[in-house]
Amino acid sequence: MSLPLPHQDILSLINKGVVIPAHPLALDKHRKMNERRQRALTRYYLDSGARGMAVGVHTTQFEIRDSEIGLYKPVLELASEEIDGFCKMQNQLVVKIAGLTGKTEQAVAEAQIAIECGYHTGLLSLAAFKNVNNDALIEHCKAVAEIIPLTGFYLQPAVGGRILDCDFWRAFAQIENVIAIKIAPFNRYQTLDVLRGIAESGRAKEIAVYTGNDDNIVSDLLTTFEFPVENGKIKIDIVGGLLGHWAVWTKRVVEIFNDIQTVKALGKGIPASLLTLGAEITDCNSAFFDVKNSFTGVISGIHEVLRRQGLLEGIWTLNPHEELSPGQLEEIDRVYKMYPHLNDDDFVKENLDRWLL
């Protein structure tokens, strides 16, 4: 059976490397979706220069799948509609990625919805399989891959993920319809497990690697990883990022990402200033993601930045118990003051009224 694959132009864009924000969910004070601001967020990311969008992922809130909420398909449809309009108007390509979760029946159903909504690939979370061996995991992945091209996802255990060893990633990368992998364990050892698995799979040239390590973004993008294999050495570059952190200050994200791509293409060494910038970004992430409280306020932190800029009305989430942690607001104040060169507040101010139309 022939498996589905994105158009070659989309595959080329994924392989080249792009900025992919993880799309938040805009709610009103009644905790219902605010369609106007949901669309405004998508327009903000597109006008910032992001050429990919991940929707229905952790940052979008997993609760959108609850039967009484029922927002999974509507959220995917809204983003897809805005992206298609942008692509037609600007003659641009944008990669559409849908988050997929749950056991096989649920993940397959979500993959079918994603295909119906025009998404190119599914970001497959394995958080539902806490105590399942690699063989069973791979069978699950293959079943979903029959519906939609897969982007693998190493979700950090602190927010619901599980440990996935090198053997799993080697086998996963050998699935024909795997086109990319997002590495997000927030752990250097586990990051290397994924990369070594890809190197040993024989498909390193066919799989685009994206960082989801919001704590180590710049270093991931600057590093060329090298692994000895039977026939020599395999070099792997992390070509782009799919990140919750990139849901805020996205205009500056794109500018920094372009600078990193230029530096790597020139091959003349890495300026120390980029490494310094990377540390500053990690410090900002510590505030936004509420590291001091084990990521409890991660979504609320992202919402708070977007609220300050006027993109969101409030920081409401579908879970009424999810909010900023004690001291998190002060931490966000701190990084705003310390690193003013990293925000894009002026850009948002100039365009907000147009995005909200």
Side-chain angles (χ1 to χ4, degrees), residues 161-221:
R162 56 161 288 172
I163 301 299
L164 297 164
D165 60 22
C166 179
D167 291 340
F168 167 79
W169 289 110
R170 185 189 306 109
F172 179 80
Q174 289 170 339
I175 297 173
E176 179 184 348
N177 211 21
V178 168
I179 61 172
I181 294 175
K182 167 186 171 174
I183 308 176
F186 288 39
N187 180 293
R188 307 319 297 157
Y189 304 110
Q190 292 161 3
T191 294
L192 289 171
D193 282 343
V194 184
L195 293 165
R196 182 162 63 89
I198 296 170
E200 294 174 356
S201 72
R203 295 191 68 233
K205 293 182 179 179
E206 301 167 54
I207 295 174
V209 184
Y210 278 69
T211 182
N213 288 321
D214 303 72
D215 64 335
N216 206 63
I217 300 168
V218 172
S219 179
D220 272 359
L221 292 170

Side-chain angles (χ1 to χ4, degrees), residues 32-51:
K32 303 296 184 182
M33 185 171 68
N34 186 325
E35 181 177 331
R36 176 170 171 251
R37 291 186 179 272
Q38 189 72 14
R39 291 183 183 275
L41 282 174
T42 308
R43 294 166 185 170
Y44 161 56
Y45 299 131
L46 293 169
D47 284 355
S48 293
R51 290 300 169 261

Side-chain angles (χ1 to χ4, degrees), residues 87 128 207 272 298 333 338:
C87 291
I207 295 174
V298 54
D333 289 339
M338 290 182 69

Side-chain angles (χ1 to χ4, degrees), residues 98-348:
L100 310 176
T101 65
K103 296 292 181 67
T104 304
E105 182 179 359
Q106 178 182 338
V108 165
E110 291 184 2
Q112 290 168 336
I113 291 171
I115 287 291
E116 291 170 11
C117 293
Y119 283 73
H120 303 115
T121 177
L123 182 71
L124 184 62
S125 169
L126 299 175
F129 296 88
K130 294 297 185 184
N131 300 299
V132 173
N133 64 29
N134 285 351
D135 289 343
L137 286 176
I138 293 299
E139 287 307 307
H140 166 73
C141 296
K142 286 180 177 179
V144 183
E146 291 181 1
I147 308 299
I148 193 170
L150 290 187
T151 295
F153 183 18
Y154 200 159
L155 175 66
Q156 62 158 320
V159 292
R162 56 161 288 172
I163 301 299
L164 297 164
D165 60 22
C166 179
D167 291 340
F168 167 79
W169 289 110
R170 185 189 306 109
F172 179 80
Q174 289 170 339
I175 297 173
E176 179 184 348
N177 211 21
V178 168
I179 61 172
I181 294 175
K182 167 186 171 174
I183 308 176
F186 288 39
N187 180 293
R188 307 319 297 157
Y189 304 110
Q190 292 161 3
T191 294
L192 289 171
D193 282 343
V194 184
L195 293 165
R196 182 162 63 89
I198 296 170
E200 294 174 356
S201 72
R203 295 191 68 233
K205 293 182 179 179
E206 301 167 54
I207 295 174
V209 184
Y210 278 69
T211 182
N213 288 321
D214 303 72
D215 64 335
N216 206 63
I217 300 168
V218 172
S219 179
D220 272 359
L221 292 170
L222 286 171
T223 303
T224 296
F225 300 84
E226 188 172 278
F227 300 91
V229 294
E230 286 187 7
N231 299 321
K233 291 183 177 180
I234 296 291
K235 292 184 178 181
I236 297 177
D237 289 297
I238 296 177
V239 297
L242 195 171
L243 298 146
H245 184 87
W246 282 0
V248 299
W249 299 355
T250 312
K251 177 67 171 176
R252 284 292 292 130
V253 165
V254 172
E255 292 166 355
I256 293 166
F257 178 73
N258 290 340
D259 288 344
I260 291 170
Q261 283 197 317
T262 299
V263 165
K264 288 205 73 172
L266 289 174
K268 295 182 178 179
I270 297 169
S273 59
L274 269 182
L275 299 177
T276 300
L277 190 66
E280 294 173 349
I281 291 168
T282 297
D283 195 15
C284 291
N285 182 257
S286 73
F288 303 159
F289 274 30
D290 193 26
V291 174
K292 288 185 177 180
N293 296 286
S294 302
F295 305 94
T296 301
V298 54
I299 293 176
S300 298
I302 292 169
H303 286 191
E304 171 59 19
V305 178
L306 296 170
R307 183 201 64 78
R308 292 180 184 212
Q309 293 182 311
L311 284 156
L312 293 183
E313 282 185 318
I315 65 168
W316 306 291
T317 59
L318 292 170
N319 178 355
H321 303 294
E322 192 164 357
E323 54 188 17
L324 292 170
S325 293
Q328 189 179 3
L329 197 63
E330 290 76 12
E331 278 293 285
I332 295 173
D333 289 339
R334 176 183 68 80
V335 297
Y336 242 107
K337 183 177 180 180
M338 290 182 69
Y339 310 115
H341 53 288
L342 292 179
N343 76 59
D344 64 356
D345 289 10
D346 289 343
F347 172 72
V348 174

